[in-house]
Amino acid sequence: MTKSELIERIVDRQGQLSVRDVELAIKTMLDHMAQALAEGERIEIRGFGSFSLHYRSPRVGRNPKTGESVELEGKYVPHFKPGKELRESVNDSIDD
Amino acid sequence: MALTKAEMADRLYEELGLNKREAKEMVEIFFEEIRESLVHNEQVKLSGFGNFDLRDKRQRPGRNPKTGEEIPISARRVVTFRPGQKLKVTVENYAGTEPE
């Protein structure tokens, strides 16, 4: 499912808002989530899961083209942990 | 301090002028549709934000950490999240005080 398919499905299900409204709502929600993470704040969605930042230590990497060493700084990467309900319903679907 | 559905709904109310009921419902439906897609073994791709993928894991040997007894870990399907380029860049430069 892509973002535009998600928009369609929400429009069909919701029945009151226009495609434009739903599109804007999804953009607002995703921006809000990205902004929270960028500020180091966790996201906790009950039943769905949580998003947080994981730290990656500085390391020496290599330029794959030249083989030259490059020092990479430590950085944060987004991490998602599925909630119990999502984890269980997805796992139960394996038998379908 | 964590971002929750309630705050996400508040923002939809404040910024888009949805009424409070519509805003709350929108946030619920958003996560519900993603969940339903995943339950139907369908990957979810939200460009700019990231992809929710499904992976089927085979049964593998495990151990009860308390007793040391061998017990197989059953085959399972799990959700993984791969952040998109835009989200990675947005988050990368967070100048966190304490690495986790």
Side-chain angles (χ1 to χ4, degrees):
Chain A
M1 176 171 75
T2 61
K3 201 188 283 178
S4 46
E5 286 167 337
L6 174 61
I7 293 166
E8 275 177 43
R9 290 182 199 183
I10 294 179
V11 170
D12 289 349
R13 180 165 165 177
Q14 209 274 345
Q16 289 182 59
L17 300 170
S18 68
V19 174
R20 181 80 196 107
D21 287 338
V22 172
E23 202 177 340
L24 206 57
I26 291 178
K27 185 183 185 304
T28 305
M29 289 188 280
L30 292 175
D31 285 351
H32 197 179
M33 292 166 75
Q35 184 201 340
L37 289 173
E39 290 166 3
E41 188 185 9
R42 289 168 56 80
I43 305 169
E44 286 178 8
I45 309 297
R46 192 171 295 246
F48 185 79
S50 60
F51 296 85
S52 59
L53 298 184
H54 280 189
Y55 183 67
R56 295 278 175 270
S57 309
R59 63 189 178 92
V60 179
R62 255 175 218 287
N63 180 327
K65 276 189 189 143
T66 63
E68 205 180 334
S69 299
V70 265
E71 303 221 349
L72 299 172
E73 287 178 26
K75 63 173 182 181
Y76 286 89
V77 294
H79 178 78
F80 174 66
K81 184 169 185 255
K84 186 163 183 276
E85 200 184 309
L86 178 64
R87 210 168 56 229
E88 287 177 353
S89 53
V90 162
N91 189 37
D92 289 347
S93 73
I94 201 167
D95 300 320
D96 296 347
Chain B
M1 178 191 73
L3 179 62
T4 61
K5 287 193 279 196
E7 286 172 79
M8 289 174 67
D10 282 347
R11 183 165 294 190
L12 293 180
Y13 166 74
E14 286 159 13
E15 285 192 4
L16 303 188
L18 301 191
N19 68 42
K20 291 204 169 173
R21 186 188 49 78
E22 286 170 336
K24 186 163 179 268
E25 200 175 283
M26 176 62 67
V27 177
E28 291 292 344
I29 293 179
F30 173 71
F31 289 108
E32 187 54 34
E33 285 293 334
I34 296 175
R35 196 176 74 88
E36 272 180 27
S37 182
L38 294 170
V39 167
H40 290 99
N41 201 20
E42 183 187 40
Q43 176 198 38
V44 178
K45 304 200 303 189
L46 302 176
S47 65
F49 190 78
N51 296 352
F52 294 92
D53 298 320
L54 295 147
R55 282 167 66 180
D56 285 351
K57 307 248 191 178
R58 284 189 298 186
Q59 179 180 310
R60 61 191 168 91
R63 216 174 260 286
N64 179 328
K66 274 190 191 145
T67 63
E69 187 193 359
E70 275 202 48
I71 24 167
I73 297 170
S74 57
R76 57 193 64 201
R77 180 171 291 160
V78 297
V79 178
T80 60
F81 175 69
R82 281 199 61 185
Q85 193 55 32
K86 192 176 156 208
L87 181 63
K88 276 196 210 169
V89 172
T90 308
V91 155
E92 205 168 82
N93 297 318
Y94 167 64
T97 45
E98 290 286 312
E100 280 180 49

